């Protein structure tokens, strides 16, 4: 292309003026041969046709602006059904016409036939209401068992992978939720990791509306039952933290390490007082501390969860078994004996607290790592005291208790879970009235839906199991997949419509439950109450038979040979009764 050009000269004064073209013959200046290599670099593009209009569109409507006058008119229909021959104004003419009809046989027969047909139709209408929708509940029964996933809250403020340790909804009707996190191997992680607690509002879920900071990672959270602006927390360093959400300062008020727990604070709860300023904390060191939030420097009261002498002796028996298996005796310098000789083994390690104002302001349930449930009492102007221990070595949880929830329909009963199953207890009996042990996956938490016969179990494989003991004792009625990781925490809103679920990856799943989970009929309440009462009576009968067997076995040591034969017959009869009652 550079070889072919044409050069012309022109005066400077004529540059910029109008060009004048003239016709001339065509001349071949040069010839360019096609190049296949350049042709491969380009692609053929078809023509694109586009039609556009820049014309405004108008709509046309017709409106009638003429006014129309309306007037209500009616007429009063006093009598009807008379023929034209009868004069209504004269009463005698009416009577004559009626007598004539009474003597007409054809009219009487036709009326009898019509009455027989109409009575059949009237009876059908009396049996079935044509305006009522029958089988309405059964048709929508499956639709009400809905579990809808609304949203997922991701952890945006993490530098390391951290899991959810606690989720709590505000006690008022607002949609505020508090979330705390912790990282794996938190003791080895650098100090610059964010140790914060996030507050979200479901109406504005993009970012947290408040970030609360603490000195250590948070293990548990609890809103005040009277004032939702007070948030209590237990940390991994054993201290108690408190935030007042009304203040602009996001830093917490914390207790001193010297007067706090030695181990991780597993759970905290508020107590019912006149000023609503007292709270309770528990840890695996076997110590329960009562605090006054106005002065967190020192606790008001401390209470140790002392073990029974029988439980302490079991530890030494296990140590002797271990020493025999090792083929010798253990010295005082061995790690096993040193661990058994420590003072912490004389106390129960608490890991969960259940306190409900409706069940009684002084009643506190504490779950332990040993599988027992302890019932504590805290009354006004009195110290903490241990009332009862639920469970015996043969009938208790197989591992550490992970959650305790009272049955909202009847607060006398409560649900407890461990890694392998769940138990339902009664306050009057030391033994569980309903037990179920799991085989599919490890259970992390349990939650009883308020004012409903349903309760939920969270599993390590990311499933939610919805149980209803009115329909099935052995299997859940619904299994719902949430995520692929382990579910660590669960909590429900006050109206039961929303569930918040946290997992190991730090995600929060908000679920909406159907009507069948949230509402409950009086029939279901009575049926569940009768079922729990029947099981508690059955367990009381079994306990009474156990006591009889123990008394008979103790008397054998002081009886003669002839008396022992008679006692053996009584033992066999009581054992038969025991087996028959147990199989019911």
């Amino acid at each position: 292309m550079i070889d072919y050009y044409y050069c012309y000269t022109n005066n400077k004064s004529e540059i910029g003026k109008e060009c004048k073209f003239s016709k001339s013959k065509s001349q071949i200046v040069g010839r360019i041969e096609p190049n296949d290599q350049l042709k491969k670099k380009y692609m053929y593009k078809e023509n694109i046709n586009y039609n556009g209009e820049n014309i405004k569109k108008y709509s046309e409507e017709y409106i009638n602006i003429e006014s129309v006058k309306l007037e209500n008119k009616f007429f009063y229909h006093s009598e009807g059904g008379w023929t034209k021959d009868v004069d209504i104004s004269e009463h005698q003419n009416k009577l004559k016409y009626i007598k004539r009809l009474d003597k007409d046989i054809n009219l009487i027969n036709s009326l009898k036939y019509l009455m027989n047909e109409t009575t059949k139709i009237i009876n059908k209408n009396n049996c079935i209401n044509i305006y009522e929708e029958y089988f309405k509940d059964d048709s929508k029964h499956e639709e009400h068992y809905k579990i809808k996933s609304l949203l997922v809250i991701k952890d945006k403020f993490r530098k390391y992978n951290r899991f959810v340790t606690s989720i709590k909804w505000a006690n008022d009707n607002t949609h505020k939720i508090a979330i705390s996190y912790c990282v794996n191997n938190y003791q080895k992680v650098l100090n610059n990791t964010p140790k914060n607690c996030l507050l979200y509002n479901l109406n504005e879920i993009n970012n947290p509306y408040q970030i609360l900071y603490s000195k250590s990672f948070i293990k548990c959270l609890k809103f005040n039952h009277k004032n939702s602006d007070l948030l209590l927390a237990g940390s991994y360093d054993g201290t108690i933290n408190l935030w007042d959400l009304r203040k602009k300062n996001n830093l917490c008020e914390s207790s001193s390490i010297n007067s706090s727990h030695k181990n991780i604070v597993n759970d905290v709860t508020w107590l019912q007082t006149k000023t609503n300023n007292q709270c309770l904390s528990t840890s695996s060191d076997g110590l329960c501390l009562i605090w006054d939030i106005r002065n967190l420097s020192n606790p008001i009261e401390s209470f140790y969860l002392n073990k029974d002498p029988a439980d302490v002796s079991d530890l030494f028996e296990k140590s002797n078994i271990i020493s025999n298996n090792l083929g010798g005796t253990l010295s005082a310098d061995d790690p096993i004996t040193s661990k058994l000789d420590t003072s912490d083994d004389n106390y129960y390690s608490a890991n969960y607290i259940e306190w409900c104002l409706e069940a009684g302001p002084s009643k506190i349930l504490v779950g332990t790592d040993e599988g027992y449930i302890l019932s504590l009492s805290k009354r006004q102007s009195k110290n903490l005291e241990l009332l009862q221990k639920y469970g015996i070595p043969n009938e208790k949880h197989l591992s550490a208790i992970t959650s305790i929830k009272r049955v909202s329909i009847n607060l006398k009963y409560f649900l407890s879970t461990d890694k392998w199953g769940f138990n339902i207890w009664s306050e009057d009996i030391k033994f569980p009235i309903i037990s179920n042990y799991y085989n599919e996956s490890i259970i992390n938490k349990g939650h009883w839906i308020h004012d409903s016969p349903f309760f939920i179990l969270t599993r390590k494989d990311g499933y939610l199991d919805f149980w209803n003991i009115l329909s099935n004792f052995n299997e859940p009625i619904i299994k719902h997949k949430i995520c692929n990781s382990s579910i660590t925490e669960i909590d429900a809103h006050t109206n039961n419509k929303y569930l918040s679920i946290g997992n190991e990856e730090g995600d929060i799943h908000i679920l909406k439950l159907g009507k069948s989970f949230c509402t409950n009929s009086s029939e279901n309440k009575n049926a569940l109450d009768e079922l729990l009462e029947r099981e508690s009576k059955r367990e009381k009968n079994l306990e009474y038979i156990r006591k009889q067997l123990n008394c008979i076995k103790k008397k054998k040591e002081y009886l003669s040979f002839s008396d022992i034969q008679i006692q053996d017959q009584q033992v066999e009869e009581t054992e038969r009764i025991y087996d028959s009652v147990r199989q019911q």
Side-chain angles (χ1 to χ4, degrees):
M1 292 293 293
I2 300 174
D3 297 336
Y4 306 104
Y5 65 92
Y6 176 73
C7 182
Y8 70 96
T9 58
N10 200 353
N11 295 328
K12 187 176 181 180
S13 60
E14 295 180 358
I15 294 174
K17 292 183 179 181
E18 184 180 358
C19 297
K20 294 181 180 180
F21 298 97
S22 61
K23 294 182 179 180
S24 63
K25 294 182 180 180
S26 60
Q27 297 179 1
I28 298 174
V29 180
R31 185 179 179 85
I32 301 172
E33 297 294 334
N35 191 352
D36 295 335
Q37 294 180 356
L38 292 174
K39 188 177 181 180
K40 293 179 181 179
K41 295 181 180 180
Y42 297 92
M43 60 181 293
Y44 178 74
K45 187 175 181 181
E46 296 181 354
N47 295 330
I48 298 174
N49 297 323
Y50 173 76
N51 295 325
E53 294 182 359
N54 194 14
I55 301 172
K56 295 182 179 180
K57 295 181 180 180
Y58 296 95
S59 62
E60 185 177 0
E61 293 182 0
Y62 294 95
I63 300 173
N64 186 9
I65 59 175
E66 294 180 358
S67 61
V68 179
K69 294 182 180 180
L70 300 176
E71 185 179 357
N72 294 326
K73 293 183 178 181
F74 61 92
F75 64 93
Y76 181 72
H77 188 78
S78 59
E79 292 187 18
W82 299 101
T83 60
K84 295 179 180 180
D85 300 335
V86 179
D87 189 4
I88 301 173
S89 60
E90 294 182 3
H91 185 64
Q92 292 182 356
N93 293 333
K94 293 180 183 179
L95 295 175
K96 290 179 182 179
Y97 184 74
I98 292 170
K99 289 180 181 180
R100 193 189 310 163
L101 291 177
D102 291 338
K103 295 178 181 179
D104 191 359
I105 299 173
N106 294 326
L107 179 63
I108 294 170
N109 294 329
S110 61
L111 287 174
K112 287 182 179 180
Y113 177 76
L114 292 174
M115 288 299 294
N116 292 328
E117 296 295 328
T118 52
T119 50
K120 293 179 181 179
I121 298 171
I122 291 170
N123 291 329
K124 289 181 180 179
N125 291 333
N126 292 332
C127 295
I128 300 173
N129 188 1
I130 60 175
Y131 298 104
E132 184 178 355
E133 294 184 8
Y134 290 94
F135 309 105
K136 181 179 179 181
D137 297 334
D138 295 340
S139 61
K140 296 183 179 180
H141 184 70
E142 296 181 357
E143 296 180 0
H144 289 176
Y145 285 105
K146 284 184 179 180
I147 305 168
K148 184 179 180 181
S149 180
L150 294 180
L151 52 95
V152 179
I153 303 173
K154 296 287 185 180
D155 185 12
K156 301 178 182 178
F157 300 91
R158 63 180 179 182
K159 295 182 180 179
Y160 300 92
N161 292 329
R162 56 182 189 173
F163 59 92
V164 179
T165 57
S166 181
I167 306 172
K168 292 297 175 185
W169 291 84
N171 294 324
D172 50 6
N173 291 324
T174 58
H175 295 85
K176 295 179 182 179
I177 184 173
I179 307 168
S180 61
Y181 301 90
C182 183
V183 298
N184 294 322
N185 298 325
Y186 65 95
Q187 295 176 347
K188 299 180 181 180
V189 177
L190 300 176
N191 294 325
N192 58 357
T193 55
K195 303 176 181 65
N196 51 24
C197 176
L198 305 180
L199 296 179
Y200 281 92
N201 191 348
L202 293 187
N203 297 325
E204 298 176 359
I205 204 63
N206 293 328
N207 293 310
Y209 73 92
Q210 196 169 0
I211 301 175
L212 307 176
Y213 297 96
S214 62
K215 298 178 182 178
S216 177
F217 291 105
I218 300 300
K219 171 65 176 176
C220 51
L221 296 169
K222 191 72 174 180
F223 280 99
N224 193 313
H225 55 280
K226 291 293 181 66
N227 187 5
S228 297
D229 293 327
L230 296 177
L231 181 61
L232 186 68
S235 60
Y236 275 80
D237 59 356
T239 58
I240 303 299
N241 301 325
L242 177 68
W243 289 281
D244 191 350
L245 305 181
R246 294 168 293 188
K247 297 180 181 179
K248 296 182 180 180
N249 187 9
N250 293 331
L251 298 177
C252 63
E253 299 178 7
S254 60
S255 61
S256 62
I257 297 178
N258 296 328
S259 60
S260 300
H261 293 279
K262 298 178 183 178
N263 298 333
I264 302 171
V265 179
N266 291 323
D267 202 1
V268 292
T269 188
W270 294 90
L271 298 178
Q272 176 67 18
T273 57
K274 293 181 180 179
T275 57
N276 292 320
N277 291 325
Q278 292 185 8
C279 59
L280 174 67
S281 63
T282 57
S283 177
S284 57
D285 57 0
L287 185 62
C288 295
L289 298 178
I290 296 178
W291 304 83
D292 191 343
I293 61 174
R294 293 171 292 186
N295 185 12
L296 292 175
S297 59
N298 291 309
I300 300 174
E301 182 185 347
S302 61
F303 180 77
Y304 281 97
L305 302 175
N306 296 315
K307 287 185 179 180
D308 294 338
D311 295 335
V312 178
S313 63
D314 290 339
L315 291 174
F316 290 101
E317 289 179 0
K318 291 179 181 178
S319 64
N320 293 329
I321 293 171
I322 294 171
S323 63
N324 293 328
N325 292 331
L326 293 175
T329 59
L330 296 175
S331 62
D333 297 332
D334 291 332
I336 298 174
T337 55
S338 62
K339 185 177 180 181
L340 291 171
D341 291 337
T342 56
S343 60
D344 291 341
D345 291 330
N346 296 325
Y347 309 117
Y348 291 108
S349 57
N351 55 8
Y352 198 88
I353 301 175
E354 171 61 19
W355 179 83
C356 183
L357 181 62
E358 291 79 7
S362 62
K363 294 181 180 180
I364 303 170
L365 296 176
V366 178
T368 61
D369 288 339
E370 291 78 10
Y372 297 102
I373 299 175
L374 306 178
S375 177
L376 305 180
S377 177
K378 179 65 177 75
R379 298 180 181 179
Q380 295 290 340
S381 67
K382 289 187 178 181
N383 296 330
L384 270 173
E385 56 181 352
L386 179 62
L387 296 180
Q388 192 174 2
K389 183 183 75 171
Y390 295 100
I392 58 175
N394 295 330
E395 294 189 14
K396 66 180 183 66
H397 281 282
L398 303 177
S399 61
I401 295 174
T402 56
S403 63
I404 303 172
K405 292 293 179 182
R406 286 192 179 270
V407 181
S408 57
I409 295 176
N410 192 340
L411 298 173
K412 177 183 175 182
Y413 306 97
F414 53 92
L415 169 74
S416 62
T417 60
D418 63 353
K419 290 184 178 180
W420 310 112
F422 68 88
N423 290 336
I424 297 177
W425 308 74
S426 176
E427 290 182 349
D428 303 334
I429 307 172
K430 295 182 180 180
F431 312 101
I433 59 175
I434 297 174
S435 299
N436 189 299
Y437 293 101
Y438 227 67
N439 294 322
E440 292 188 17
S441 179
I442 294 175
I443 297 174
N444 290 332
K445 292 287 183 179
H447 182 81
W448 197 290
I449 301 175
H450 182 71
D451 199 16
S452 175
F454 292 91
F455 63 91
I456 307 170
L457 299 181
T458 64
R459 290 169 27 179
K460 192 175 181 180
D461 56 357
Y463 276 89
L464 284 181
D465 288 350
F466 290 82
W467 289 75
N468 187 355
I469 57 176
L470 292 177
S471 59
N472 197 340
F473 269 82
N474 301 319
E475 293 181 357
I477 59 172
I478 296 175
K479 295 181 181 180
H480 186 70
K481 179 75 171 180
I482 298 295
C483 55
N484 295 324
S485 58
S486 176
I487 299 174
T488 58
E489 192 65 25
I490 182 173
D491 194 27
H493 194 257
T494 54
N495 59 5
N496 285 340
K497 289 184 179 180
Y498 302 104
L499 275 179
S500 57
I501 296 162
N503 57 15
E504 283 185 345
E505 296 178 356
D507 301 334
I508 306 296
H509 297 261
I510 306 297
L511 306 180
K512 185 178 180 180
L513 300 179
K515 293 182 180 179
S516 297
F517 295 108
C518 304
T519 58
N520 190 19
S521 62
S522 59
E523 296 178 357
N524 290 335
K525 290 181 181 179
N526 296 331
L528 182 61
D529 199 4
E530 290 176 359
L531 186 145
L532 296 175
E533 189 68 26
R534 184 178 69 248
E535 293 297 326
S536 61
K537 288 181 179 179
R538 172 178 171 272
E539 198 63 35
K540 286 180 181 179
N541 294 331
L542 292 174
E543 185 178 2
Y544 176 73
I545 294 171
R546 286 195 205 99
K547 290 180 180 179
Q548 283 187 341
L549 290 173
N550 292 330
C551 292
I552 292 171
K553 290 178 181 179
K554 288 180 181 179
K555 288 181 181 179
K556 280 186 176 182
E557 299 176 358
Y558 306 100
L559 296 176
S560 61
F561 180 76
S562 61
D563 295 331
I564 289 173
Q565 291 180 350
I566 298 171
Q567 293 293 330
D568 289 336
Q569 295 177 359
Q570 294 179 358
V571 170
E572 291 177 357
E573 291 179 359
T574 52
E575 286 179 350
R576 290 173 188 171
I577 297 170
Y578 179 79
D579 294 334
S580 62
V581 173
R582 194 170 184 179
Q583 290 175 0
Q584 290 179 358

